[in-house]
Amino acid sequence: MTHPLVNVLPGLRAIAPQYDVFLVDLWGVVHDGERPFAGVVDALRELSSAGKRVIFVTNSSRDGGRVTATLR
């Protein structure tokens, strides 16, 4: 069942041209705690190539250095 106020997007490509900056949650969106989800790395590269700014957000209790190391 669909809701009249919910617009399900097929992916970021559908809205990327409309925005300059993307706030992207890490856990459960970018990765599962161990590896990135399928297509995420390519999507982030496409956004970057299009000149979009991507800001990662998380509520992880790990300090920023550990989070950065995990992303690498």
Side-chain angles (χ1 to χ4, degrees):
M1 174 183 228
T2 61
H3 190 282
L5 299 178
V6 175
N7 184 13
V8 178
L9 300 173
L12 283 177
R13 281 188 189 102
I15 61 168
Q18 301 169 41
Y19 299 95
D20 296 323
V21 179
F22 291 82
L23 300 177
V24 180
D25 185 38
L26 291 174
W27 183 269
V29 175
V30 170
H31 65 80
D32 65 5
E34 294 183 22
R35 49 187 46 89
F37 291 114
V40 168
V41 174
D42 289 337
L44 294 171
R45 284 185 179 136
E46 282 188 42
L47 289 172
S48 180
S49 293
K52 307 299 181 175
R53 185 168 184 195
V54 176
I55 299 171
F56 294 115
V57 295
T58 184
N59 63 351
S60 171
S61 60
R62 292 188 246 171
D63 66 65
R66 286 186 65 198
V67 172
T68 300
T70 300
L71 289 175
R72 288 190 179 128

